[in-house]
Amino acid sequence: MSSKIQKLLKQGINKFNLNQLDESESIFRQILDLNKDNFDALNALGVINGRKGNHLEAKNFFLNIVKLKPNDISVNFNLANALMELGNNSEALVHYEKCDSLKHNNHLIFINHSKCLFNLNRLEESFDTLSKAEQINDSSIEIYYLKSLIFKNLKDLSSALNCLEKALLINSSIPSIWNLKGLIFFEQECFYEAYICFKKAIDLNE
């Protein structure tokens, strides 16, 4: 790698760490002008575009680099995330499963893998995947929130509420948890309890 590219990489990373995404993107694109297959620049541009909500462009960058490093866990994870954001859950699942085949130990990968399975209405597999995440990190609110959604869809409302209680023990100031709890109480026809939860969600949003 040339000294010029190394210098630009350092500048781009510094700008990214300062959350100056446009300036960082410009620098990494300069690197591609010098070397169109530079892995670090392609990967950074994929991450930056994902952060900016440009998921189609992010996907295209990650598609390029997964050809360069097909067994890289982070690349497959980032590509899967971009595909899921675009609603391409079946394609995303291929890359989440690739991550699993590479024997990762990252609860965030299991969480997003579970979301993908949930989107495909594969609820039991989604739950089993979340359980793997919970074995690694049992203090993640998102795990219990997602488990609650799965139980709700399976019409096991008591288990759904139990999961939300675990989430609230970790952090009771997240409106979406109170809102989901309200929806479950409403489905149980516990209208006063639902009202209390909805009011709490509104108060936290203000």
Side-chain angles (χ1 to χ4, degrees):
M1 186 185 299
S2 72
S3 59
K4 184 174 182 179
I5 288 179
Q6 287 179 332
K7 183 178 178 181
L8 287 169
L9 277 172
K10 186 175 180 180
Q11 291 173 356
I13 292 168
N14 287 338
K15 292 291 185 183
F16 180 83
N17 289 337
L18 293 170
N19 204 35
Q20 297 175 5
L21 299 185
D22 290 338
E23 294 89 338
S24 180
E25 180 174 3
S26 176
I27 293 168
F28 287 120
R29 287 187 183 277
Q30 289 179 52
I31 294 172
L32 292 188
D33 290 338
L34 299 170
N35 179 359
K36 65 181 178 63
D37 293 324
N38 184 277
F39 175 85
D40 294 315
L42 289 166
N43 190 53
L45 286 165
V47 172
I48 289 168
N49 278 280
R51 287 269 190 98
K52 293 166 75 172
N54 301 328
H55 300 297
L56 180 59
E57 193 157 1
K59 179 200 78 169
N60 291 333
F61 281 116
F62 292 130
L63 279 173
N64 281 330
I65 57 178
V66 80
K67 296 172 187 174
L68 300 174
K69 292 191 177 182
N71 293 321
D72 188 290
I73 291 175
S74 66
V75 172
N76 279 281
F77 179 51
N78 287 331
L79 175 55
N81 292 342
L83 288 164
M84 185 165 64
E85 288 287 351
L86 292 166
N88 299 334
N89 290 290
S90 295
E91 292 179 59
L93 185 60
V94 171
H95 294 282
Y96 288 126
E97 290 176 342
K98 178 67 173 180
C99 291
D100 284 358
S101 74
L102 296 169
K103 307 299 181 186
H104 70 86
N105 195 38
N106 186 329
H107 76 283
L108 296 176
I109 297 178
F110 284 126
I111 287 173
N112 281 18
H113 187 175
S114 174
K115 287 181 185 177
C116 185
L117 289 164
F118 181 87
N119 292 340
L120 292 166
N121 203 35
R122 292 165 61 170
L123 301 182
E124 291 184 3
E125 292 171 84
S126 178
F127 185 88
D128 290 342
T129 304
L130 274 181
S131 296
K132 294 177 184 177
E134 190 176 3
Q135 288 173 12
I136 300 167
N137 182 354
D138 62 1
S139 61
S140 169
I141 291 172
E142 196 167 12
I143 291 172
Y144 299 114
Y145 180 82
L146 289 169
K147 278 191 171 184
S148 180
L149 282 175
I150 293 168
F151 280 127
K152 183 176 182 295
N153 277 267
L154 292 171
K155 302 302 180 184
D156 185 349
L157 301 183
S158 294
S159 294
L161 285 173
N162 287 337
C163 287
L164 289 178
E165 289 301 329
K166 290 181 181 179
L168 289 169
L169 285 173
I170 299 169
N171 188 338
S172 61
S173 61
I174 299 176
S176 58
I177 296 176
W178 287 102
N179 189 65
L180 180 57
K181 190 175 181 182
L183 289 171
I184 293 169
F185 275 132
F186 191 86
E187 200 167 330
Q188 290 181 320
E189 298 186 355
C190 300
F191 300 121
Y192 177 73
E193 289 84 350
Y195 163 77
I196 295 298
C197 292
F198 290 141
K199 186 176 184 305
K200 182 71 173 179
I202 291 169
D203 290 343
L204 287 169
N205 270 318
E206 289 180 348

